[in-house]
Amino acid sequence: MAPPAHSSRSPSPSQPSGKGEVSDLKSQLRQLAGSRAPGVDDSKRDLFKKVISYMTIGIDVSSLFGEMVMCSATSDVVLKKMCYLYVGNYAKVNPDLALLTINFLQRDCKDEDPMIRGLALRSLCSLRVPILVEYLVGPLASGLKDSNSYVRMVAVIGVLKLYHISSVTCMDADFPAILKHLMLNDRDTQVVANCLSTLQEIWTAEASNSGEASRERDALLSKPLIYYLLNRIKEFSEWAQCLILELVAKYVPSDTNEIFDIMNLLEDRLQHANGAVVLATIKVFLQLTLSMTDVHQQVYERIKAPLLTLVSSGSPEQSYAVLGHLHLLVMRAPMLFSSDYKHFYCQYNEPFYVKKLKLEMLTAVANESNTYEIVTELCEYAANVDIPIARESIRAVGKIALQQYDVNAIVDRLLQFLEMEKDYVTAETLVLVKDLLRKYPQWSHDCIAVVGNISSKNVQEPKAKAALIWMLGEYSQDMQDAPYILESLAENWDDEHSPEVRLHLLTALMKCFFKRSPETRKALGIALAAGVADFHQDVHDRALFYYRLLRYNISIAERVVNPPKQAVSVFADPQSSEIKDRIFDEFNSLSVLYQKPSYMFTDKEHRGPFEFSDELGNLSTEANVSAQKVEADDKDLLLSISEKGDSGFPANGSAYNAPSYDSSKSLSASSTSSDLVILETGVLHQASPSLAIDDLLGLGLSTTPAPAPAPPLSLNPKAVLDPGTFQQKWRQLPISLSLELPVSPQGVAALTTPQALIMHMQGNSIHCIATGGQSPNFKFFFFAQKSEELSKFLVECIINTSSSKAQLKIKADDQNSTQAFSVLFESALSKFGML
Amino acid sequence: MLQCIFLLSDSGEVMLEKQLTGHRVDRSICSWYWDYAISQGDQLAPVIASPTHYLFQVVREGVTFLACTQVEMPPLMGIEFLCRVADVLTDYLGGLNEDLIKDNFVIVYEILDEMIDNGFPLITEPNILREMIAPPNIVSKVLSVVTGNSSNVSETLPGAAASCVPWRTSDRKYTKNEVYVDLVEEMDAVTNREGILIKCQIYGEVQVNSHLSGLPDLTLTFVNPNILDDVRFHPCVRFRPWESHQILSFIPPDGQFKLMSYRVKKLKSTPIYVKPQLTSDSGICRLSVLVGVRNDPGKTIDSVTVQFQLPPCVVSADLTSNCGTFNILTNKSCTWSIGRIPKDKAPSLSGTLVLENGLEHLHVFPTFQVGFRIMGIALSGLQIDKLDLKNLPNRPYKGFRALTRAGQFEVRS
């Protein structure tokens, strides 16, 4: 488990608390506010710079809001910019004060300098304070009609910002229609591009509740508009070109002539210096020709050179993204790149992630004609100083061996690896030889001769050890020493930490026993005894099962444990072809890099931030995480102990960092790092609340929470409430009690990790559903439930560490018991040292 | 689209935070990222899925550029944009490091403000940005002392925002018109363990530095454009003339820019050879490296270096060279700087490596990375024919140069 995200690296300890400095700044700003002395702008500039640098390092300077606004009456552009930046950052938390800024921003929107008009309008729209939207409409409307394209460009994006604050206001002002007009008539291409992206977003969002909006959205894909944009595409900025190309990729041409026209028009985009434009163009080409097999093949030929250049000329990060896409293409057309394999040779200086993808490419393009060269190259990496790449190279050789029919030369190479006497090389090779033997049993003699010479003492990695033991069991009739090696392993049962190895040892001894029973009897006895006493459930069960099976009937046992096997013809592909097609449809998107269709990762990500109301702010649900983890763990376990299943091999085949639900580390990190965290309150709570929370937070605390306090009011320690219901309730219920409490200095100190407080409240049967904010403002949402009833209490608790105050808002189903609950809540807080 | 950009120092401290949309991204994502980055070490990929956001990260000179998004988007767009931000900042600040960013964070904010709005990239062309936000150069610093006006925002809007050529303003005026064209080539080559050249190609760029008045129209032709394998152009290059006659026709942006990049594949040989030899027996390994000119390009080859990393199993090394200087660091990385290859003798490096106890033979071999530089020639053989300029009031000065250096030139042993 990772340590909580608030590690020593967080900048807070090195920073001044800022209190003294901030009040200094405040008085200095006051002095300057009314001054008209010469040079006052310079002193202001220094002060503003200081304020913003504090803001940047995370000190709260929101208390200076009033003074900053007072000082903002200036003609100096830099001062204005700094002021806009400041205002934009704090307006959302100080809506009342933001009203003060409206005046000067509106004035600046009418400045004669277009730069200032634009900047002011941008800042005005970036305030994002819902109560101020009425002040936005006027400046936006005149901004859209401004004579200067810079202002219009800003205004168009401003409309989108307005839409996100208040869609109704935006629609009422009829802005979309104005944008549509601008999009079709404006001279400036950046204005057109901004209109396009804004309209796309607005119509897509509106489409679900308005038929007209969905028609408008579809109209964006109409032939006249697409042609209008395509004909001017060279005038657009490179990023706007990406936007247009993305739109074109969704367009369905009416006939093949149209397809060729579009491709001719866009062909030179493949030569663009910006890789994003090139990839977007390639997507258009691939999408347009999907149904035309011949042309589709020609497209592959055409896009090959630009892609290879992108790989070899860009920064490593760019190479990575391009290689991800190349890999996708290669899987669909392996022949295409089979003569260009040298482009995927790894260079010594390249970062790991590029080398790894290149190895996958080499594996994918290998065929009869180039296997020799590729394997020779891979073998050179195996002897390289870079150990992770050496491992990956050996795996790559193994994969090639498994996909080729002529494995003759490769087997020799693999066996040479075993003679290199490097423990990691030996380990990787053993795993591969095992897989190879499962597919090509005819090679057993050659392999066994070499494998037999390996001392099991030199093999430490569980996977490799398991592979060696499997071979010892499977080919015990051919290996002279097999029973004795297995026996010495069985004797050292307690030293073997990996359950996977112990499971394999049991099975191997059984197989050996059937073939050479006199020599193995003793070892098997030791292993079964140790296995039955093993603390690991699976090992215990398997040992017991074997034991009973042997007692029942030895020949039946042999038929169960060691039946005649058929060679594996094809190892299972972890990805279905349906999913691959889906990823291909999402060419030029993140799903290619994650090797997952985007619905598999973006959906659940989205639910949090976009559905929740402003009141709870920017939330993200973690609800699926634990379930996913359990599933992943299960799968891992199945894979690691299955020895006959065909799916074992590709378990570590993927080079990509898929969204990280498979590791417990990210799990703990997730719950501490996200902006606002919903603690898992569903299923887990019912099972064992404290443990679930422990696990999620990764605090490693094992103390059981104190029992809930006795009457007058007792709370249900296992209360359950899902975030959605919480929100609904929070909206419906009136505030039954609101109070402000002073917070003690110890309380402030303890809040460096809000989790501690959450744990503590949990111990008092008050559950946290969401937390957020950052120093000095922490926000918590708690809930609790009466022990015998369904009636619930909801609490919003805002703790400001700089003013040492806590504000509580309590809402309750049962208003009468609010007072009792608040006493409980306060006493819980004070037990924590808060009050 | 991108929701937020953070700039982190090499100790993980947040130096700058730029929120781009209404969905604020909390800073805590940075500490998550930092812990994750440390746990991944050098295996950290540029695109990461965190529990709440998808992250793009690009590290330049110890500064991490981190961008967050929650929606599906083209990955290359995020990466390209971050690379562009890094380039523009390097250009503006005259380098890139923690102090430069902290000293100039107001300018960095201003630049980001113009480069991206609401998560969508806008103006990334350095020439145009320069006209909107003046760089903090010495001149303006001196000026600010003299005049007391240190505003680094130009008072006018750039003309290009309204010009029909988006990368150029029409009202540039120079008393002395000059244009320089540089061919800069990098040779990537791999020699395998048997000494066979298995890959040798050139990546080249045509770099132009133009100081020309008005809206000049330039045409650049090559003697042998057919040797180019794949080309990529600056947006200013017109595609049709290239397609039909391999002529580069363009209106240049002002100042330094990359007009074109190209690749020349399947070269037959390298200008110099490096022959390493390792033989090991009973715990001692003899190493010798020979360097020499293979194909004399007719120009001086200088800045020749050979670098390699000794495997961890080498306990000590005793290596001497007959030419240049040889250094070995405590992390066992070795640098042999030869400089210019002398005419009378072949440079050689030789000596013994002692292997760790119990190891008879060396099984892990170093890769030798070779550096060199040749002024005055493009090794691909590409030659500029002529450069024509139209729309200019008086005859400009034209300058041409060529340079080839080693890119990823490695010799395995």
Side-chain angles (χ1 to χ4, degrees), chain A residues 225-242:
Chain A
L225 181 63
I226 295 280
Y227 275 42
Y228 164 76
L229 293 170
L230 278 178
N231 283 323
R232 296 179 71 184
I233 193 159
K234 278 163 215 172
E235 297 163 33
F236 284 89
S237 80
E238 45 202 310
W239 311 106
Q241 290 185 14
C242 294

Side-chain angles (χ1 to χ4, degrees), chain A residues 50-307:
Chain A
K50 241 182 230 166
V51 172
I52 291 182
S53 77
Y54 281 166
M55 186 179 96
T56 301
I57 56 177
I59 296 177
D60 181 34
V61 284
S62 58
S63 55
L64 300 175
F65 205 99
E67 285 73 15
M68 288 292 282
V69 174
M70 279 198 273
C71 281
S72 61
T74 170
S75 56
D76 186 292
V77 187
V78 177
L79 270 182
K80 274 195 195 297
K81 279 198 177 182
M82 289 199 269
C83 195
Y84 296 157
L85 183 67
Y86 174 89
V87 168
N89 213 20
Y90 287 116
K92 202 168 179 180
V93 283
N94 288 316
D96 304 337
L97 287 169
L99 190 61
L100 296 174
T101 63
I102 289 285
N103 233 333
F104 88 89
L105 283 174
Q106 275 186 329
R107 201 170 51 238
D108 284 353
C109 284
K110 292 176 187 139
D111 198 282
E112 58 186 29
D113 183 348
M115 189 104 190
I116 293 191
R117 289 206 298 276
L119 286 171
L121 190 56
R122 182 181 289 162
S123 312
L124 195 58
C125 298
S126 303
L127 293 180
R128 302 198 167 98
V129 181
I131 53 164
L132 301 181
V133 284
E134 51 186 304
Y135 299 97
L136 279 178
V137 178
L140 271 179
S142 50
L144 289 173
K145 288 189 210 107
D146 200 286
S147 60
N148 190 292
S149 59
Y150 180 79
V151 183
R152 291 200 301 276
M153 175 182 109
V154 171
V156 172
I157 293 291
V159 169
L160 183 58
K161 289 176 183 162
L162 169 66
Y163 178 80
H164 283 306
I165 309 166
S166 163
S167 54
V168 182
T169 318
C170 180
M171 303 309 278
D172 285 351
D174 211 18
F175 280 135
I178 304 176
L179 291 194
K180 202 172 153 191
H181 179 79
L182 268 184
M183 178 170 72
L184 296 172
N185 296 293
D186 204 283
R187 213 165 52 87
D188 186 275
T189 48
Q190 193 61 55
V191 176
V192 175
N194 286 359
C195 285
L196 177 63
S197 69
T198 303
L199 284 178
Q200 264 185 321
E201 205 163 326
I202 292 181
W203 290 138
T204 311
E206 287 287 306
S208 53
N209 45 34
S210 144
E212 193 205 353
S214 85
R215 272 194 302 283
E216 290 284 357
R217 184 192 55 182
D218 297 339
L220 290 176
L221 284 170
S222 68
K223 187 166 167 176
L225 181 63
I226 295 280
Y227 275 42
Y228 164 76
L229 293 170
L230 278 178
N231 283 323
R232 296 179 71 184
I233 193 159
K234 278 163 215 172
E235 297 163 33
F236 284 89
S237 80
E238 45 202 310
W239 311 106
Q241 290 185 14
C242 294
L243 183 75
I244 293 172
L245 289 167
E246 227 168 291
L247 187 74
V248 175
K250 289 186 208 136
Y251 171 68
V252 185
S254 54
D255 56 31
T256 46
N257 287 339
E258 220 183 316
I259 293 178
F260 287 116
D261 284 349
I262 294 177
M263 293 210 298
N264 281 332
L265 190 75
L266 291 179
E267 189 169 12
D268 58 341
R269 295 299 97 195
L270 291 174
Q271 244 104 32
H272 200 284
N274 187 326
V277 175
V278 178
L279 269 194
T281 313
I282 289 177
K283 170 155 193 175
V284 172
F285 278 37
L286 292 174
Q287 292 292 332
L288 286 179
T289 58
L290 262 183
S291 56
M292 308 156 77
T293 323
D294 296 354
V295 189
H296 201 60
Q297 283 304 318
Q298 286 168 21
V299 166
Y300 280 130
E301 289 289 341
R302 178 65 187 84
I303 62 181
K304 201 166 82 168
L307 279 171

Side-chain angles (χ1 to χ4, degrees), chain B residues 158-348:
Chain B
S163 130
C164 58
V165 186
W167 54 86
R168 187 179 177 94
T169 51
S170 49
D171 54 354
R172 276 273 157 229
K173 288 225 170 34
Y174 289 99
T175 44
K176 199 172 147 210
N177 283 297
E178 325 169 283
V179 58
Y180 298 93
V181 181
D182 291 350
L183 286 184
V184 179
E185 301 200 330
E186 281 189 5
M187 172 174 268
D188 294 339
V190 178
T191 307
N192 76 358
R193 201 157 286 157
E194 275 92 51
I196 302 164
L197 188 66
I198 52 170
K199 177 177 164 184
C200 183
Q201 66 171 20
I202 286 213
Y203 169 75
E205 289 180 358
V206 181
Q207 293 172 357
V208 178
N209 195 355
S210 114
H211 299 283
L212 301 169
S213 314
L215 268 178
D217 205 323
L218 277 62
T219 327
L220 181 69
T221 50
F222 297 105
V223 176
N224 47 354
N226 52 333
I227 65 165
L228 303 177
D229 274 315
D230 189 52
V231 285
R232 290 209 282 158
F233 302 117
H234 188 273
C236 70
V237 175
R238 300 187 183 97
F239 185 64
R240 294 293 162 212
W242 175 263
E243 186 77 326
S244 48
H245 302 102
Q246 273 96 56
I247 292 168
L248 287 170
S249 160
F250 58 99
I251 296 171
D254 201 53
Q256 177 88 37
F257 69 101
K258 188 167 88 184
L259 178 66
M260 161 182 159
S261 64
Y262 57 86
R263 219 153 36 96
V264 179
K265 284 193 287 189
K266 294 186 181 141
L267 275 90
K268 293 283 177 293
S269 69
T270 54
I272 57 172
Y273 66 82
V274 173
K275 286 183 180 158
Q277 220 173 6
L278 287 118
T279 48
S280 54
D281 193 21
S282 53
I284 303 287
C285 175
R286 280 205 58 79
L287 167 75
S288 85
V289 186
L290 290 176
V291 178
V293 178
R294 172 176 282 140
N295 288 305
D296 196 343
K299 304 271 181 186
T300 328
I301 306 176
D302 61 9
S303 308
V304 177
T305 56
V306 178
Q307 285 181 305
F308 55 98
Q309 173 78 42
L310 290 175
C313 59
V314 172
V315 182
S316 69
D318 175 25
L319 299 167
T320 50
S321 66
N322 67 347
C323 181
T325 53
F326 177 76
N327 275 313
I328 177 162
L329 300 178
T330 43
N331 66 357
K332 291 177 188 158
S333 75
C334 307
T335 312
W336 180 23
S337 312
I338 302 170
R340 205 170 282 184
I341 296 180
K343 290 239 158 45
D344 49 339
K345 58 178 176 186
S348 80

